Amino acid sequence: MTTNKFNIHAQKQEYPGSDAQLEPQAEFISENYLGSRKLVGKVALITGGDSGIGRSAALHFVKEGAEVAITYLKDSEVEKVDAEWVKQWVENEGGVCRIYPVDLRHSQEAKDLVAQVLSDFKKINILVNNAGTQYPNDDLATLEDEQWLDTFATNVHSMFYLTKATLPHLEKDDVIINTSSVNGYLAPGNMVDYSTTKGAQISFTRGLANQLLKRGIRVNAVAPGPVWTPLQPATLGQFNPEFVENYGGNSPMERCAQPSEMGPTFVYLASSDSSFITGQTIHPNGGMMVGG
């Protein structure tokens, strides 16, 4: 596939969007992906694991032998449907998956989530901070304070809260993976608040990696380029429907990625294959050249 052409009229999704309603449907794991037991005995907690990149990470982890705990946005019926799909898929594969409705913008909910996951699984070995949001805006003067604060609460504060709550339970050779974005580097003018949070996530990754070196816990980030997820029509599509029609077409590969093209990157960072990598960011972005 060299280009994407999506039917913008089929993308009338409301925030936060749903994989079940995405048209065309996204691919989360390729049919020929064969796991090689890289994560046997591991428990992974993945925020936003109901859809998009988080769902792909969860499916790939299960193929590698991990058990997965995934979160979805509390009070969102469409995300609940998506999360239940993941749980059913995992169980059909003979794996273990539990789903947790939560609003990680609140510190206590992060603490309660970790306590529940530990009760259910007895341990956490892999933390994937993936949940996020975006609200396009092309004029800072009209960017509402509430939007700025909510973008930071969802993308940055939740990452801090959940990582802080999880850290006492991580041991040597456990890992943290943060989902950032190419926009943390390119910073498009219509996503100032979002890009700022994505830059903050990169610095959080680097600083935390240095802090945890002595404990043998690795911390890395993934900074995807355009990926076909429900967040795109539910946010960018509301801002500019025509943008969705050729989503990712301006990238060097002239297309967006499928979530299935992200999952293996998370497997690499979660496994011992990346044992000498920490504080780094991997850039599956279709050939965009970025600094850092």
Side-chain angles (χ1 to χ4, degrees):
M1 180 171 62
T2 57
T3 60
N4 288 327
K5 202 70 173 179
F6 301 116
N7 180 1
I8 61 175
H9 302 294
Q11 300 305 318
K12 299 299 184 182
Q13 292 212 42
E14 295 184 0
Y15 182 84
S18 166
D19 270 321
Q21 300 174 18
L22 201 58
E23 178 63 38
Q25 289 286 292
E27 179 186 76
F28 301 99
I29 187 167
S30 64
E31 292 183 1
N32 61 0
Y33 185 88
L34 298 176
S36 53
R37 300 179 59 82
K38 293 179 185 294
L39 301 176
V40 170
K42 303 292 186 180
V43 173
L45 171 56
I46 306 168
T47 68
D50 59 296
S51 64
I53 295 171
R55 178 188 286 194
S56 181
L59 270 53
H60 282 83
F61 284 3
V62 169
K63 279 287 191 179
E64 296 293 346
E67 298 180 353
V68 295
I70 66 171
T71 75
Y72 66 94
L73 184 60
K74 184 171 67 174
D75 299 328
S76 172
E77 287 302 315
V78 294
E79 288 206 355
K80 180 180 180 181
V81 170
D82 284 348
E84 289 175 341
W85 184 97
V86 175
K87 185 175 187 294
Q88 186 62 58
W89 186 96
V90 172
E91 291 175 350
N92 290 344
E93 289 288 315
V96 177
C97 173
R98 291 183 181 268
I99 62 177
Y100 302 87
V102 66
D103 186 344
L104 292 171
R105 293 174 297 182
H106 306 288
S107 175
Q108 188 59 50
E109 294 209 27
K111 295 174 184 176
D112 292 344
L113 170 65
V114 170
Q116 187 61 57
V117 172
L118 290 171
S119 175
D120 292 339
F121 290 90
K122 310 309 177 189
K123 62 180 180 177
I124 300 171
N125 306 110
I126 304 162
L127 173 62
V128 179
N129 288 305
N130 169 75
T133 193
Q134 60 186 21
Y135 305 99
N137 175 285
D138 58 8
D139 184 356
L140 191 70
T142 65
L143 180 62
E144 298 291 341
D145 294 354
E146 292 76 12
Q147 176 179 316
W148 177 270
L149 293 172
D150 186 68
T151 304
F152 270 83
T154 303
N155 295 356
V156 180
H157 300 164
S158 66
M159 184 176 291
F160 164 69
Y161 295 147
L162 186 57
T163 303
K164 182 180 179 181
T166 305
L167 268 178
H169 311 285
L170 297 182
E171 300 180 352
K172 184 178 183 294
D173 296 327
D174 289 340
V175 300
I176 299 170
I177 307 170
N178 300 320
T179 302
S180 183
S181 169
V182 68
N183 288 329
Y185 298 85
L186 300 181
N190 68 337
M191 302 185 79
V192 172
D193 55 340
Y194 175 78
S195 299
T196 303
T197 64
K198 291 300 167 177
Q201 290 173 345
I202 296 301
S203 293
F204 178 77
T205 298
R206 291 171 174 171
L208 190 61
N210 287 331
Q211 186 179 107
L212 297 180
L213 274 172
K214 60 182 179 294
R215 289 182 55 185
I217 298 170
R218 295 184 296 108
V219 187
N220 291 292
V222 180
V227 183
W228 186 232
T229 73
L231 190 61
Q232 311 313 329
T235 57
L236 294 174
Q238 298 294 329
F239 178 77
N240 180 6
E242 286 71 26
F243 182 83
V244 178
E245 185 177 12
N246 190 37
Y247 181 59
N250 293 329
S251 71
M253 288 191 178
E254 299 182 336
R255 66 175 180 89
C256 68
Q258 290 293 326
S260 59
E261 296 174 286
M262 301 293 113
T265 301
F266 286 82
V267 170
Y268 172 65
L269 292 177
S271 74
S272 60
D273 289 351
S274 58
S275 58
F276 199 55
I277 297 178
T278 194
Q280 306 303 312
T281 302
I282 293 184
H283 299 272
N285 63 24
M288 301 180 190
M289 297 301 156
V290 298

